[in-house]
Amino acid sequence: MFFSKKKTVSVDVMNISAMNVSTGQIGAYIKALYQEEGFRHIGYRFENQDGLCRFIIYTLPNQKDVIQYFKDRCPAMVEEKCKQSVEQAYEWSTWPNGFEEIK
């Protein structure tokens, strides 16, 4: 059991600039995807990548429709949609395996 592979909890689907997008806007964008596309189980995290502020959007590995949705879009499209979103409050849900998603 020394070399047991760690199970993947999430898969990154998009990486966008966080310079002109607030956490309230990205949360509103994800909640809009829940409403408009019927998606579930999407979250994001903030990262500093070589001095650049980035939002990383992720989902569960079995969410093929969410994964394909983001494959069909470039980061600029997603960033623009986030910028157009009106900030709103949202809550996080954490699973026992550590996966965090926007409710």
Side-chain angles (χ1 to χ4, degrees), residues 11 13 59-71:
V11 61
V13 293
T59 190
L60 294 171
N62 65 349
Q63 296 294 307
K64 303 298 183 197
D65 53 345
V66 175
I67 295 167
Q68 189 61 51
Y69 176 88
F70 284 103
K71 280 183 179 180

Side-chain angles (χ1 to χ4, degrees), residues 11-14 29-30 33-34 37-43 57-73 78 99 101:
V11 61
D12 296 346
V13 293
M14 185 59 62
Y29 172 68
I30 292 170
L33 289 177
Y34 287 174
E37 302 291 336
F39 294 160
R40 294 288 173 260
H41 313 305
I42 303 173
I57 300 173
Y58 59 83
T59 190
L60 294 171
N62 65 349
Q63 296 294 307
K64 303 298 183 197
D65 53 345
V66 175
I67 295 167
Q68 189 61 51
Y69 176 88
F70 284 103
K71 280 183 179 180
D72 292 341
R73 281 147 185 83
V78 174
F99 181 78
E101 68 178 333

Side-chain angles (χ1 to χ4, degrees), residues 31 61 77 96:
K31 287 178 74 171
M77 292 170 70

Side-chain angles (χ1 to χ4, degrees), residues 44-85:
Y44 73 88
R45 68 182 180 276
F46 179 83
E47 285 187 6
N48 180 333
Q49 295 179 347
D50 296 323
L52 301 173
C53 301
R54 309 295 293 175
F55 281 123
I56 313 301
I57 300 173
Y58 59 83
T59 190
L60 294 171
N62 65 349
Q63 296 294 307
K64 303 298 183 197
D65 53 345
V66 175
I67 295 167
Q68 189 61 51
Y69 176 88
F70 284 103
K71 280 183 179 180
D72 292 341
R73 281 147 185 83
C74 73
M77 292 170 70
V78 174
E79 184 178 344
E80 191 59 34
K81 283 286 202 180
C82 288
K83 285 183 195 178
Q84 294 171 359
S85 299

